[in-house]
Amino acid sequence: MEQRQKLYNKIRRCKDTDLKSKLQTETKSYSKEIKELRKQIKLCNGIEERSKQMEQTLSTIQEKERGKNRYERY
């Protein structure tokens, strides 16, 4: 993102139209990359949340199973 910001600054100061259009295409490519990375971050965060919920559910189930096994012995 820092690189993209530097390119935006160069575009603002640039007088040459050919160079300016080249820089604009470069910023678009950075924007596409950033978009994909943000999407991956969002997916990973969702996976992390669901795994935490699964761990809690599993621990609850295991505790219930241990409790059943204790009562079955007597």
Side-chain angles (χ1 to χ4, degrees), residues 33-59:
E33 287 181 43
I34 291 170
K35 182 180 178 180
E36 285 298 316
L37 292 173
R38 285 180 176 157
K39 186 184 270 189
Q40 288 179 1
I41 288 171
K42 193 173 182 180
L43 289 171
C44 290
N45 287 339
I47 291 170
E48 182 181 20
E49 289 297 317
R50 288 191 304 274
S51 67
K52 286 178 184 178
Q53 289 175 347
M54 280 195 238
E55 285 177 359
Q56 290 175 350
T57 305
L58 280 173
S59 65

Side-chain angles (χ1 to χ4, degrees), residues 1-73:
M1 289 176 35
E2 189 176 311
Q3 294 169 339
R4 183 178 65 168
Q5 186 60 46
K6 287 179 182 179
L7 286 174
Y8 283 139
N9 291 337
K10 285 182 183 179
I11 290 171
R12 259 188 283 141
R13 292 186 212 112
C14 187
K15 305 285 186 200
D16 184 17
T17 56
D18 292 333
L19 180 62
K20 194 172 188 175
S21 65
K22 188 177 181 181
L23 292 172
Q24 286 173 338
T25 57
E26 204 171 328
T27 57
K28 286 181 184 179
S29 70
Y30 279 124
S31 295
K32 287 180 184 178
E33 287 181 43
I34 291 170
K35 182 180 178 180
E36 285 298 316
L37 292 173
R38 285 180 176 157
K39 186 184 270 189
Q40 288 179 1
I41 288 171
K42 193 173 182 180
L43 289 171
C44 290
N45 287 339
I47 291 170
E48 182 181 20
E49 289 297 317
R50 288 191 304 274
S51 67
K52 286 178 184 178
Q53 289 175 347
M54 280 195 238
E55 285 177 359
Q56 290 175 350
T57 305
L58 280 173
S59 65
T60 304
I61 291 171
Q62 288 173 346
E63 287 176 15
K64 287 180 181 180
E65 289 294 321
R66 286 186 201 135
K68 285 182 182 179
N69 289 340
R70 288 182 188 161
Y71 292 117
E72 288 176 358
R73 289 184 198 166

